[in-house]
Amino acid sequence: MKKQKEIPPKTEDEIALAEAQIVELSKRIEFYLTEYSVELLANKMNKGEFVVPAYQREYTWEHDRKSRFIESLVLGLPIPFLFFWEMPDGNLEIVDGSQRLRSIEEFVLGDLRLGELDGLTALSGFKFSDLPESRQRKINNRSIRGIVLNEHADEQARFDMFERINTGSKIANMAEVRRGALAGPFMDLIIELAVLPKFVALAPVSKTALDEREHEELVARFFAYSDGLEGYKDRPSEFIFNYVKRMNAVVNNDPALVAQYRTRFQEAIDFIERFFPYGFRRNPKGKATPRARFEAIAVGSRLALNERPALAHEDVADVLPWLTSDDFTKVTGSDGANAIARLRERTGFVCDRLLDA
C-alpha cells in the first residue's frame, strides 16, 4: 500500500489565521430561533408580514406537491426549518420556505383542495373547511420552527445561507437570488440579454430551467468568466455573486459601460450563430444547454474575439471536427467541472482553435 504523505502540524500562525477568519465571518451570522403555529403562519402570509423576495416571486409547486406537503403537516411529520431575514421595518423576508408558507396559506385560508394522497387516502379531495372544527384546530395548533437572521446580516450573509440550505439544488436558484438581492444596472443588463431571441434559440433549456432563470445564469457566467477569473475559488455561485455586485457599482459610476457590455455579448452571440451550427447544443436535435459546453463555446469565443477583433469579420474553418472530438468531450465533462483549471482548460480549448483556424 502506498504510504500517505505525512502532513506537518499546523503552525501557530496558521491556527491564528483560521481562528480570525471564523470570528470575522461569524459576525455576519447573527440569528435567533422562533416557533410559529400553522394558524399564525397562514395569517402572517395573508397580511403580508412575511415578505416574498423578488427571486422567489414564482409559486412553482405543482398541485400534487402541495397536497403531499399538507398531508405531512396533517400527519405531524417533521417539517424543515423556515429561514427569514428580519427587515428594518420588522417584517420578515423569506429566505427559504416560501413554497411551504404559500401552500399553508392556500390550504388554511384559501381553496386548496387536496389531490390524491398516498397515505391519508380518505382525505383526498378535502379542503380545510371540509374538516371538522376539532381537526382544523389541531392542524392550526401544529408548530413549525424558524431561524431569523437579524437586520444586521448583509446581502452576502443571506446569499450564503440560501446557498448552504440548498446545497445540491440547481445553481439556477442562485440566479433567482442574484436577481432579488443584487438589483442594479448590471443585473438589469443580464436580465435584458437573457431574453434575446437569438440567444434563446442558440441555448435551449427545459421548462423547469427556464422557470429557474437558467438563461440569466448563463449570461452572468459569460460576463464573469470572460472578464477574468481573479479571485475565483472553485465556487461559481459566490464568484458570480461578487462579480455582479461589483459590476453594479462600476456601472453606476460609468453608465456608458452598459452599451459596451451589451455589444460584447451580442457580438459573441452573432459569431456563434455564424460558425457553430448546433449553437450550444450537443447535436442538431439537442434540447438542452450543458453549462460546461456553454462556457467553453461562449467564453472561448469571446476570449478569441478579444485577442483578435478582426475574427468577427473573417471566415472561420469548420468547427465541427474539433467540436465533436473526444478531446472537446473530455474538457467539457462534468468531473471537477467547476475547478478553475478545468474552466480555463475548456475556454482555452475553444479560444486556441478559433485563433489557429
Side-chain angles (χ1 to χ4, degrees):
M1 181 182 290
K2 186 177 179 181
K3 188 176 180 180
Q4 288 188 334
K5 185 178 179 181
E6 190 171 324
I7 300 175
K10 298 299 182 185
T11 66
E12 289 187 7
D13 287 344
E14 289 175 322
I15 294 170
L17 179 61
E19 181 63 22
Q21 190 176 51
I22 292 170
V23 171
E24 179 59 30
L25 292 181
S26 296
K27 288 178 182 178
R28 295 194 289 113
I29 311 296
E30 299 179 30
F31 66 89
Y32 61 87
L33 297 174
T34 188
E35 197 159 343
Y36 297 109
S37 68
V38 166
E39 182 176 28
L40 185 60
L41 289 171
N43 285 320
K44 280 184 171 291
M45 281 295 292
N46 187 255
K47 290 189 288 188
E49 293 179 13
F50 290 155
V51 178
V52 181
Y55 58 84
Q56 298 190 56
R57 288 285 183 237
E58 300 296 328
Y59 189 12
T60 58
W61 273 12
E62 66 280 2
H63 185 258
D64 286 347
R65 191 169 182 183
K66 297 177 194 177
S67 298
R68 288 196 302 272
F69 169 69
I70 297 299
E71 180 184 33
S72 298
L73 191 66
V74 172
L75 287 170
L77 295 174
I79 303 299
F81 274 73
L82 302 166
F83 288 81
F84 303 97
W85 171 62
E86 187 175 51
M87 303 170 73
D89 64 3
N91 289 324
L92 298 181
E93 178 183 288
I94 305 166
V95 176
D96 187 70
S98 71
Q99 304 296 322
R100 282 168 279 156
L101 288 169
R102 282 187 272 199
S103 296
I104 288 171
E105 180 192 11
E106 188 181 356
F107 182 62
V108 174
L109 300 179
D111 293 318
L112 176 61
R113 188 179 294 280
L114 300 177
E116 292 297 321
L117 302 177
D118 295 330
L120 294 174
T121 54
L123 205 63
S124 300
F126 270 64
K127 295 197 299 184
F128 186 75
S129 58
D130 294 329
L131 298 169
E133 289 187 5
S134 59
R135 179 53 58 187
Q136 292 182 28
R137 283 193 291 270
K138 289 175 182 178
I139 294 173
N140 274 330
N141 289 337
R142 294 202 186 281
S143 62
I144 299 178
R145 306 184 87 180
I147 293 178
V148 182
L149 277 174
N150 73 17
E151 62 180 298
H152 303 297
D154 61 17
E155 57 197 9
Q156 181 65 51
R158 286 143 61 198
F159 177 79
D160 285 346
M161 185 168 77
F162 186 94
E163 182 181 27
R164 291 173 192 277
I165 293 166
N166 290 283
T167 297
S169 64
K170 295 180 180 179
I171 297 300
N173 286 336
M174 297 302 105
E176 296 174 346
V177 177
R178 286 195 295 271
R179 173 186 267 249
L182 295 179
F186 196 74
M187 189 67 234
D188 289 343
L189 177 63
I190 289 172
I191 294 169
E192 170 199 325
L193 297 175
V195 295
L196 284 179
K198 184 180 294 187
F199 170 59
V200 172
L202 290 170
V205 299
S206 69
K207 175 62 167 61
T208 299
L210 185 66
D211 290 342
E212 294 177 344
R213 311 191 194 285
E214 176 70 2
H215 284 130
E216 290 178 23
E217 175 70 23
L218 297 178
V219 176
R221 287 179 178 230
F222 168 83
F223 283 130
Y225 295 165
S226 62
D227 244 356
L229 295 171
E230 184 178 353
Y232 184 84
K233 303 292 185 183
D234 299 349
R235 292 186 61 195
S237 56
E238 182 177 307
F239 178 75
I240 297 168
F241 183 95
N242 290 329
Y243 171 81
V244 175
K245 181 178 180 180
R246 184 178 74 253
M247 288 305 299
N248 272 336
V250 169
V251 172
N252 265 326
N253 292 328
D254 187 359
L257 285 173
V258 170
Q260 293 181 30
Y261 275 82
R262 182 185 291 111
T263 299
R264 282 190 202 181
F265 183 79
Q266 292 175 327
E267 185 179 55
I269 293 303
D270 288 344
F271 179 83
I272 291 161
E273 183 189 43
R274 286 174 60 204
F275 298 112
F276 288 79
Y278 307 157
F280 300 109
R281 303 172 179 84
R282 287 195 178 98
N283 56 63
K285 296 182 179 180
K287 296 181 180 179
T289 299
R291 286 183 181 170
R293 187 181 184 87
F294 170 83
E295 292 160 1
I297 295 173
V299 178
S301 295
R302 182 64 265 173
L303 295 177
L305 290 166
N306 290 350
E307 189 163 335
R308 195 166 82 219
L311 188 66
H313 311 291
E314 296 174 1
D315 287 331
V316 173
D318 184 10
V319 303
L320 282 180
W322 56 260
L323 197 62
T324 55
S325 68
D326 290 341
D327 287 341
F328 185 69
T329 299
K330 182 179 178 181
V331 298
T332 55
S334 60
D335 185 31
N338 291 325
I340 191 168
R342 293 297 308 280
L343 179 53
R344 283 182 169 145
E345 182 181 25
R346 60 179 172 267
T347 57
F349 182 97
V350 172
C351 177
D352 291 344
R353 275 150 186 80
L354 289 173
L355 293 175
D356 290 343

